[in-house]
Amino acid sequence: MNREIPRVRLPEPISAADFDYVRSLVREKTAVALDETKVYLVNARLLPIARNAGIRSVVDLIRHLRSHPLGELHTQAVEAIVTTETSFFRDFIPFEALRQEVIPEIMEGRTGSDRSLTIWSAGCSSGQEPYSIAMMLRESFPELSTWRTRLFASDVSKGMLERSKSGTYSQTEVNRGLPARMMVKYFRQQGSTWRINREIRDMVSFIHHNLARDILSLPPVDILAMRNVLIYFDVETKRMVLDRIRRHLKPGGFLMLGTAETTLNLDERFQRVRVGRAVFYRAMTAEAR
Ligand SMILES: C[S@@+](CC[C@H](N)C(=O)[O-])C[C@H]1O[C@@H](n2cnc3c(N)ncnc32)[C@H](O)[C@@H]1O
């Protein structure tokens, strides 16, 4: 019997020129640097975008992008490539340090019209980081209800900001890092998803912002969480971003970075300090340098 073996069509590989085009597009829009090892990632992340747009393959999608003026599909492609991995109370230890030491230290000694606390989560992805901070403030610092407390969160991805604003998470997302007690207290189940309460949503102001490009007018901040963002930039961009965000911090203000990130050898105007088991970077005053 002569059985015919079905022929599997292997995807056409992305050419160097097509990869270079994608790399420049991502860099131009977000400053995220992709090296050659990321070809597989570009392929995997663009495939659903191609399918959604009714385009046969990733290579055809890139050709389409190359031959059309910048538009919605370009934005979707860039936002799909940029890593947005996050979770509630990610890494846990820095949040404990905030709760037990950093926030009490900031609050100590602020009286009268001085009683304000400003926090910015930059590169907030789908919102778990700023909402973790908001829930922590609500749980542990009831006295802040009489303070001027401002919590800003920003990201370059409009898609992520929409998700953040809606505050709606899958079962898997709420299972990652969120204590069950907080889920019950601050979330409402809506079918197969969980939505964070309005009370917590209203504590956070979300802003579209590119750390490498846009000027942001914010009041000086006490705490800036910019975690797992610098890691995707090249050295020159890391320096430039650190220089910009330092100007947003109050003297002595606290910068939180991801566990694989540092300001060392990039910007000596931050001082690395241990707080409990966590590491923070404090913006030095001119005299302290
Ligand atoms: C890996 S996530 C980190 C999320 C969260 N900070 C955390 O640690 O869980 C990185 C986020 O940085 C954002 N991002 C990348 N480049 C950016 C830029 N130039 N300006 C602002 N946000 C950027 C991405 O869109 C993404 O949501």
Side-chain angles (χ1 to χ4, degrees):
M1 198 168 66
N2 220 350
R3 225 197 271 146
E4 206 161 281
I5 301 169
R7 289 187 46 195
V8 180
R9 235 179 117 249
L10 287 173
E12 196 182 337
I14 299 177
S15 68
D18 280 350
F19 182 69
D20 271 351
Y21 167 79
V22 173
R23 178 159 48 188
S24 316
L25 181 66
V26 171
R27 202 192 150 87
E28 160 67 24
K29 294 270 186 195
T30 68
V32 166
L34 300 173
D35 62 36
E36 282 75 13
T37 63
K38 297 294 189 295
V39 174
Y40 79 93
L41 177 138
V42 166
N43 221 329
R45 296 201 177 155
L46 287 187
L47 192 57
I49 304 291
R51 291 211 171 121
N52 244 339
I55 297 176
R56 213 168 43 101
S57 69
V58 168
V59 168
D60 286 350
L61 170 66
I62 300 175
R63 284 185 192 142
H64 176 95
L65 296 175
R66 289 183 73 168
S67 58
H68 286 76
L70 290 182
E72 180 54 29
L73 204 52
H74 296 77
T75 306
Q76 282 180 25
V78 170
E79 294 192 356
I81 290 169
V82 169
T83 298
T84 54
E85 165 75 14
T86 189
S87 56
F88 288 102
F89 297 98
R90 183 176 188 174
D91 304 327
F92 186 68
I93 286 169
F95 289 93
E96 273 309 279
L98 272 188
R99 188 175 69 80
Q100 290 177 356
E101 304 200 35
V102 173
I103 295 175
E105 179 186 322
I106 294 171
M107 289 175 72
E108 207 177 79
R110 286 196 187 167
T111 53
S113 60
D114 237 16
R115 292 190 311 162
S116 77
L117 177 70
T118 309
I119 302 176
W120 175 21
S121 160
C124 67
S125 184
S126 36
Q128 285 90 328
E129 183 173 276
Y131 286 141
S132 297
I133 298 173
M135 285 185 280
M136 188 244 293
L137 295 181
R138 194 42 63 98
E139 283 288 292
S140 302
F141 301 96
E143 61 274 39
L144 283 177
S145 62
T146 60
W147 282 48
R148 186 179 170 126
T149 309
R150 287 165 297 190
L151 183 41
F152 300 100
S154 63
D155 203 281
V156 73
S157 160
K158 289 188 177 156
M160 282 299 122
L161 284 176
E162 284 315 307
R163 282 214 55 206
S164 294
K165 283 184 201 163
S166 95
T168 305
Y169 299 97
S170 68
Q171 186 70 53
T172 315
E173 287 170 325
V174 290
N175 285 348
R176 285 186 68 196
L178 183 67
R181 184 179 50 80
M182 283 197 176
M183 185 173 95
V184 171
K185 189 164 172 188
Y186 294 113
F187 287 75
R188 200 160 20 95
Q189 191 162 17
Q190 293 184 334
S192 61
T193 60
W194 292 82
R195 184 156 202 217
I196 199 157
N197 290 347
R198 173 169 282 274
E199 170 205 2
I200 301 294
R201 286 204 309 275
D202 285 351
M203 287 173 71
V204 187
S205 308
F206 288 99
I207 308 162
H208 181 241
H209 176 245
N210 182 341
L211 281 159
R213 201 169 55 195
D214 308 329
I215 309 284
L216 191 56
S217 114
L218 280 187
V221 301
D222 296 292
I223 300 166
L224 167 43
M226 186 178 68
R227 303 170 67 224
N228 306 297
V229 182
L230 274 188
I231 199 170
Y232 299 103
F233 299 152
D234 61 24
V235 170
E236 194 189 317
T237 310
K238 287 182 211 242
R239 288 208 168 103
M240 188 255 283
V241 168
L242 283 171
D243 183 54
R244 283 172 167 228
I245 55 127
R246 193 177 39 76
R247 295 162 200 268
H248 284 281
L249 276 164
K250 289 188 185 166
F254 291 81
L255 169 66
M256 297 168 80
L257 294 177
T259 46
E261 297 166 325
T262 179
T263 62
L264 296 181
N265 299 323
L266 292 170
D267 192 328
E268 303 315 320
R269 291 161 296 185
F270 287 97
Q271 185 187 12
R272 185 178 188 274
V273 290
R274 266 203 167 271
V275 182
R277 289 158 62 209
V279 169
F280 286 78
Y281 298 86
R282 299 194 74 166
M284 284 195 260
T285 53
E287 313 81 71
R289 271 182 231 142

